Structure formats: C-alpha cells, structure tokens
Amino acid sequence: MSGSMGWMISGGGVVLVMAVLREVFRTLWHPMGRGGLSKRLMAGLWRLARWIGAGGGRVTAVAGPLGLALVAAVWTTLILLGWALVYWPHLPGGFSYTSGLRPAGRAGFLDALYLSAVTVSTLGFGDIVPTDGWLRIAAPLEALIGFALLTAVVSWISQVYPALTRRRTLALRLASLRRAAHPSNRFRPATTVSLLTGLAGDVDQVRVDLTQHAETYYFHDGQDETSLAAMAGYAADLARQGQTSARADVRTGAAMLGRALEDLTAVLNRQFLHLAAAEPMDVLRAYAADHGRRLAGS
C-alpha cells in the first residue's frame, strides 16, 4: 500500500473514531440529548417492534433495552473499525510479531481488526506490538477510549432507568388520584393546590428527562397504571376542571399543571410524533396510540 494512500486510510479511521466520540458525547452529556445516530437507531427499532407486536406484547416491551444494547454495539463496532483503519496501512512494518507469527501473512484488514479489538478491550495479548513511535502512542490511546466507552455505556444505563422510574411513578400517582375521584371534590382546597402543583412539577421533570434522554421515550411501561402515555389524559382533565374552581389558588395550580402539560406535549411532538399543527390533546392521543394505549380520562 502506497504511503499517501495509507495515510489517507489512517486519516479516515481517525475521522470515524472522532465522529463516534462526538456521537457518544451528544447522546450522553449534551443537555439536549442531540445524538443523531443513537436516536435514529432507537426510533427504527421502536417502529419495527410496533410493527411486529402491534403496539403491545413482549416485542414492544423489550424494544427499549434492546435499543440501548444496539446503540452500544454500533458505537463499539465503529470504534473498532476506525482504529483498524488506523493500523491497517502500517501492517506489518510498524509492528513487531511474536515468534511463530509470519509478518508477511499478518498484514490484512482482519489482522488490523483483531489488533483493534484486543487493544480497545485492554486484553493486550502482546502477539502484535507497535514499534513506530506514533503507533506506540496510538495503541494506549485506543485502550483508554475503550475503557471510557465502557464507562460511558454504564453511565448511560444508570441515567436512563431513574428517568423511567420517575415517569412510571407519576403515572401511578395519576392512576391513584383517578381511583380516588377528582381531588377538588374530596380534599380541602389547600390539599388540592398542593396536589396540582406537585403534579405540575412531576410533569416538568418528565419533560426534562425526555429532553435530556430521548431514548426513554422508546421504553414500554407495562400496565396502563404505570404508563404515562395512558394516564396523561387524566392529568389534562385535572387541569381543565381545576381551572373552573371558585378559588384563585386552585385555578393557579391548575394553570401550572396545564402549562406543564403543554410544554410536555411540545417536546413529544417536536422530538417524536411530528404532528402538523396539533393541539396538546391531539399530541397526548398520538402519544398513547404510539405506545399501544388508550388515553385515560376522568
């Protein structure tokens, strides 16, 4: 392989590695969760699961966890390919081989991919060792990136499941309130205001979770009582009914809840549903349908 062509291939590998690292950063640590590749993979798997499972069943239930695994696998594969492209043009001249390995027969792309895999996984068998100065720096750098990628995936999972817990807890709270009937008919006004403002804060938290961790949208929530896609309609009913109260503080709490729901539906529509000129209730119905639910009301 000619020198200029080899360096072009190595440069392409570096570009690929940097693109993956950028994607990891934008998915995990960008405040708006702007990872494009991860979002497309999760959305594609969700649509496939919806098509196979018709909105319910075991297939849709595992779409979210499988999506996380798929994204992590794609990130790892692209990192492996990128570093393999870095090494490939410099095999065998830039490396030394243990006795028993014939360098001339260990200069193919599969050998570069093998070297990339044992380096990124920090196995370090030592059968192929870089000798060129820059390669002796590149190989440990790949090992550090591999360790960082593993840490990033674990961090990602640790961020996703608390967000899912908050969403499901809000759904359960709404289901409990629905069973107890409208709070303005059963509780003192002060209690009603506390309930409405508390629900508004919980809805805002779900909106933040969806903004920062868009992948949480693609997790199925089990039963209706734990599914915000089903129970959000009752929250909208509470907001509407509270705004008819004779007490100003109850109306204020209801308005806060209504505004929180409007902000949530704006995020749902902009990032996931893409409805044209839709009202908040239209978005909530589409959200419920996309998760195989019927929107609950009072």
Side-chain angles (χ1 to χ4, degrees), residues 26 44 112 183 230 255 286:
R26 288 170 67 86

Side-chain angles (χ1 to χ4, degrees), residues 138-171:
L141 180 61
E142 183 187 6
L144 288 174
I145 289 176
F147 180 77
L149 182 62
L150 174 61
T151 304
V153 171
V154 173
S155 172
W156 190 25
I157 295 172
S158 70
Q159 292 169 359
V160 165
Y161 282 93
L164 294 174
T165 298
R166 289 189 289 268
R167 187 174 77 196
R168 291 163 181 169
T169 300
L170 172 57

Side-chain angles (χ1 to χ4, degrees), residues 199-215:
L199 288 173
D202 291 342
V203 171
D204 283 335
Q205 180 63 68
V206 170
R207 173 174 61 86
V208 171
D209 288 338
L210 281 172
T211 301
Q212 295 182 339
H213 307 292
E215 58 276 2

Side-chain angles (χ1 to χ4, degrees), residues 168-288:
R168 291 163 181 169
T169 300
L170 172 57
L172 279 171
R173 188 178 183 193
L174 288 168
S176 297
L177 284 172
R178 189 184 182 208
R179 286 195 299 267
H182 191 280
S184 63
N185 296 330
R186 296 181 62 88
F187 305 120
R188 293 189 304 247
T191 304
T192 300
V193 172
S194 178
L195 284 171
L196 292 173
T197 55
L199 288 173
D202 291 342
V203 171
D204 283 335
Q205 180 63 68
V206 170
R207 173 174 61 86
V208 171
D209 288 338
L210 281 172
T211 301
Q212 295 182 339
H213 307 292
E215 58 276 2
T216 58
Y217 177 88
Y218 304 108
F219 278 73
H220 200 265
D221 286 323
Q223 302 299 318
D224 282 353
E225 288 190 346
T226 59
S227 174
L228 186 61
M231 300 311 304
Y234 183 62
D237 284 349
L238 291 177
R240 285 195 302 269
Q241 295 177 28
Q243 289 172 7
T244 65
S245 172
R247 293 182 59 96
D249 53 353
V250 174
R251 293 197 302 271
T252 299
M256 291 175 61
L257 177 57
R259 181 64 186 185
L261 287 168
E262 289 177 7
D263 292 342
L264 174 62
T265 56
V267 171
L268 287 170
N269 195 33
R270 181 175 63 252
Q271 293 192 206
F272 309 105
L273 299 171
H274 311 296
L275 304 178
E279 295 296 322
M281 287 305 298
D282 297 327
V283 176
L284 290 180
R285 292 188 189 95
Y287 177 38

Side-chain angles (χ1 to χ4, degrees), residues 36-47:
L37 176 61
S38 58
K39 184 177 179 180
R40 290 185 181 91
L41 289 172
M42 295 284 291
L45 188 61
W46 175 258
R47 287 193 293 269

Side-chain angles (χ1 to χ4, degrees), residues 12-21 23-24 37-38 41 70-86 109 113 116 120 142 145 149:
V14 171
V15 170
L16 179 57
V17 170
M18 295 301 295
V20 176
L21 294 179
E23 172 71 16
V24 173
L37 176 61
S38 58
L41 289 172
L70 175 63
V71 171
V74 169
W75 286 346
T76 303
T77 300
L78 292 177
I79 287 286
L80 289 175
L81 290 174
W83 282 101
L85 290 173
V86 171
F109 182 74
L113 190 60
S116 177
V120 80
E142 183 187 6
I145 289 176
L149 182 62

